[in-house]
Amino acid sequence: MKALIITWTSRIRDSYWFVPSLLAIGALVLSFVTTEMDNRLGSEWLENIGWLYANEPAGARAVLSTVAGSMITVAGVTFSMTILSISYTTSQVGARLLNNFMRDRGNQVTLGVFISTFLYCLMVLRTVRNAESAPHGNAGQQELASAFVPHIAVIVGIMLAILSVAVLIYFIHHIPESIHISNIVAGIGGDLNRQIDDQFPARIGKPHDDVTERQVESNLPKAFYQTAKTIRSKGSGYVEFVDTDGVMKIAVDNNLTIRMRFRAGDFITPGNVLMLASPDSRVSDEIVDQLRATFVSGAQRTAKQNLRFVFNQLVEVAERALSPGVNDPFTAINCMDWLQSALEHLAEREMPDAYRYDSDHQLRIVAEPETFSDFASLVFDQLRPYVAADRNASIHMMEMMAKVALSTTCDSHRRLLVRHAGALRRQCKRALTDQRGMKLLSDRYRSMVWLLRDPLYRQQVLDTGNWVGGRA
């Protein structure tokens, strides 16, 4: 249940209708509040304020009708502009970025302000009446109702109209700014770094107290699988969220050891083994339902727990930019700069252990974690075929690898990056015909190898910032 609540809360918060709906409800409440204030205060207070104009019923209707009509028209225009800009941008940078535009607070607030102003004026307009209008329910009596003009409500309506004009000016600036490719890439890159901070180190249980006993790959004995009960999925879709705290609580409460098989972002089909729980003698049908409920799946991948999805967004933009139909290597270079930032950030983080323990140092959850190697492969292996065919992009990727290798303190990370650099150099030899470009690429590759082999050279590069030359 917790996983479902968190998932739906996230969907509602990021939806395009949530903020406008809240503002619309606020406008309805405000209309009742202001008209009630007018009922209680009357219009005598205006006599002592010379710069305020007391409206007649016809004038109040004209003002409110003009504001309401113009606001619903502008709302339609801004909505059309938003959809058109989203359609154009996603066709250029990828459909997976649609949700990034949908949850743009600027677009949501703009639409909400216009709709709210329209609803507010519409609700206030119904309360304006002329002196000859008979009160409701007294049609048969001779006494007529006096004129009623909600002066406070009308003034608030005019203020909302002025606010809407200011929001319109902001919106006209915001739309071209939000679809600028550099801002799009920077937004994804910022999200990626924030996701790394949120997800690493893993917050499910605790790793082994002895650092030497920690391991990334799981290697459970055969006895575990012989005594484990399989928990299978019932539906199809992408795993959007896994309630890891809930899994840990179930494991502790029932003295179980659980082997996780799927994680956020994976695609599941009916009958897939979500997890194994041992011993099976302690796993009742109720516990099976509870464990199955910790997984929430849907029609699309989300960034909630899936760091790979955010990496893939930047990789997709870079791949599209390097495709023959677009041929925009500088956008790809922009994406690689943010990928470099993310990999440098990730290299500093403590990678999770496959074995997670409870507070009593009992093994509770075993899950294959995502490592720096996985994310490096996600970036370099996917981009390499596209980058190798472009001189500027390939040289920049080699420099990107060298900078990540220079920033990390882990030798295994450096060796991994040198292997990726070697693969890029080999593929560029087959694809590039520019000999000068190939020489620059080879020089950077040799400098990168020396960064791995020679600590003194590495320190020299850190001190001077000049890593090309010298050892190359």
Side-chain angles (χ1 to χ4, degrees):
M1 180 60 70
K2 178 184 175 182
L4 195 60
I5 292 173
I6 292 175
T7 304
W8 275 104
T9 301
S10 178
R11 287 177 182 173
I12 291 173
R13 188 175 59 250
D14 293 341
S15 65
Y16 198 66
W17 56 265
F18 180 64
V19 171
S21 298
L22 287 182
L23 293 176
I25 293 171
L28 294 177
V29 173
L30 181 62
S31 68
F32 289 116
V33 171
T34 53
T35 52
E36 181 62 25
M37 290 174 62
D38 278 302
N39 274 324
R40 293 179 179 274
L41 297 177
S43 60
E44 291 79 7
W45 61 277
L46 282 175
E47 297 175 359
N48 299 323
I49 307 176
W51 55 273
L52 282 180
Y53 175 71
N55 285 291
E56 296 296 328
R61 285 197 185 95
V63 170
L64 293 171
S65 299
T66 301
V67 174
S70 61
M71 285 303 105
I72 198 64
T73 301
V74 173
V77 172
T78 55
F79 181 74
S80 300
M81 289 175 59
T82 302
I83 297 301
L84 186 62
S85 62
I86 289 174
S87 175
Y88 171 76
T89 307
T90 53
S91 68
Q92 296 296 312
V93 299
R96 254 69 52 191
L97 298 181
L98 179 61
N99 287 341
N100 297 45
F101 293 100
M102 293 290 289
R103 63 171 180 259
D104 187 309
R105 283 287 182 263
N107 295 340
Q108 295 175 5
V109 170
T110 298
L111 180 62
V113 168
F114 294 148
I115 295 295
S116 301
T117 303
F118 166 75
L119 287 177
Y120 175 85
C121 292
L122 197 66
M123 294 299 293
V124 173
L125 184 60
R126 69 185 180 85
T127 65
V128 180
R129 63 173 180 264
N130 294 327
E132 67 271 18
S133 299
H136 181 71
N138 294 340
Q141 299 181 10
Q142 295 296 322
E143 183 181 357
L144 297 178
S146 61
F148 175 72
V149 178
H151 297 287
I152 296 176
V154 172
I155 292 170
V156 172
I158 295 173
M159 294 174 63
L160 287 175
I162 296 172
L163 174 64
S164 299
V165 172
V167 171
L168 178 61
I169 295 171
Y170 157 77
F171 180 75
I172 293 172
H173 165 76
H174 177 70
I175 281 292
E177 185 181 53
S178 65
I179 65 175
H180 192 286
I181 188 64
S182 296
N183 293 330
I184 294 172
V185 172
I188 302 171
D191 288 342
L192 184 54
N193 283 316
R194 285 189 291 272
Q195 287 280 82
I196 292 171
D197 285 334
D198 291 341
Q199 295 189 26
F200 290 94
R203 289 171 173 78
I204 172 174
K206 299 188 299 183
H208 199 284
D209 290 339
D210 187 353
V211 177
T212 60
E213 293 294 326
R214 298 179 186 177
Q215 51 186 325
V216 174
E217 297 181 0
S218 60
N219 186 23
L220 289 170
K222 291 183 179 180
F224 171 85
Y225 296 98
Q226 292 171 352
T227 61
K229 186 177 184 64
T230 58
I231 290 86
R232 300 181 182 273
S233 63
K234 288 187 175 181
S236 298
Y238 293 99
V239 178
E240 294 184 3
F241 184 82
V242 181
D243 181 12
T244 52
D245 292 335
V247 175
M248 176 62 75
K249 185 176 185 306
I250 294 171
V252 172
D253 291 345
N254 299 278
N255 195 19
L256 299 172
T257 301
I258 297 175
R259 170 70 164 92
M260 309 286 287
R261 285 294 190 185
F262 286 88
R263 56 194 173 198
D266 293 341
F267 189 81
I268 58 174
T269 56
N272 283 160
V273 179
L274 295 176
M275 61 187 85
L276 300 167
S278 177
D280 58 354
S281 59
R282 302 194 187 115
V283 185
S284 63
D285 291 340
E286 181 182 358
I287 293 175
V288 170
D289 292 336
Q290 291 175 1
L291 289 171
R292 191 181 287 124
T294 59
F295 280 75
V296 175
S297 60
Q300 58 183 333
R301 292 184 176 94
T302 64
K304 183 66 178 176
Q305 289 183 329
N306 185 8
L307 195 60
R308 291 171 295 162
F309 176 74
V310 192
F311 267 100
N312 275 326
Q313 285 184 319
L314 281 176
V315 171
E316 180 181 0
V317 175
E319 289 175 350
R320 283 176 174 266
L322 292 171
S323 64
V326 179
N327 193 23
D328 181 13
F330 294 102
T331 293
I333 288 172
N334 193 6
C335 294
M336 284 189 276
D337 288 338
W338 283 100
L339 287 168
Q340 173 194 325
S341 172
L343 289 174
E344 287 178 355
H345 196 183
L346 191 65
E348 299 171 358
R349 314 300 292 186
E350 178 187 353
M351 292 294 105
D353 186 29
Y355 295 86
R356 311 302 294 183
Y357 298 81
D358 60 17
S359 56
D360 296 326
H361 308 291
Q362 295 292 318
L363 178 62
R364 293 303 180 192
I365 294 178
V366 181
E368 213 73 52
E370 293 174 304
T371 64
F372 179 84
S373 174
D374 296 330
F375 293 110
S377 177
L378 186 68
V379 173
F380 299 125
D381 288 341
Q382 289 190 94
L383 277 179
R384 190 184 307 117
Y386 299 87
V387 168
D390 186 274
R391 172 193 180 278
N392 297 328
S394 58
I395 292 174
H396 193 83
M397 177 175 274
M398 189 67 75
E399 293 178 355
M400 166 191 171
M401 294 177 182
K403 291 174 182 177
V404 176
L406 186 63
S407 68
T408 182
T409 58
C410 180
D411 286 337
S412 62
H413 291 171
R414 292 196 192 98
R415 287 192 293 271
L416 172 69
L417 291 166
V418 168
R419 288 196 296 272
H420 280 293
L424 174 63
R425 182 169 176 251
R426 289 190 296 273
Q427 191 150 358
C428 286
K429 282 184 176 180
R430 295 191 296 268
L432 284 181
T433 58
D434 183 359
Q435 295 302 317
R436 291 186 63 187
M438 196 64 225
K439 183 179 183 305
L440 286 173
L441 190 77
S442 297
D443 288 345
R444 282 152 175 75
Y445 172 72
R446 285 191 290 270
S447 294
M448 188 174 174
V449 172
W450 277 109
L451 288 176
L452 173 65
R453 293 181 178 177
D454 191 345
L456 294 177
Y457 176 60
R458 185 164 61 249
Q459 188 60 47
Q460 175 189 339
V461 175
L462 287 171
D463 293 338
T464 63
N466 181 23
W467 59 273
V468 178
R471 289 286 190 175

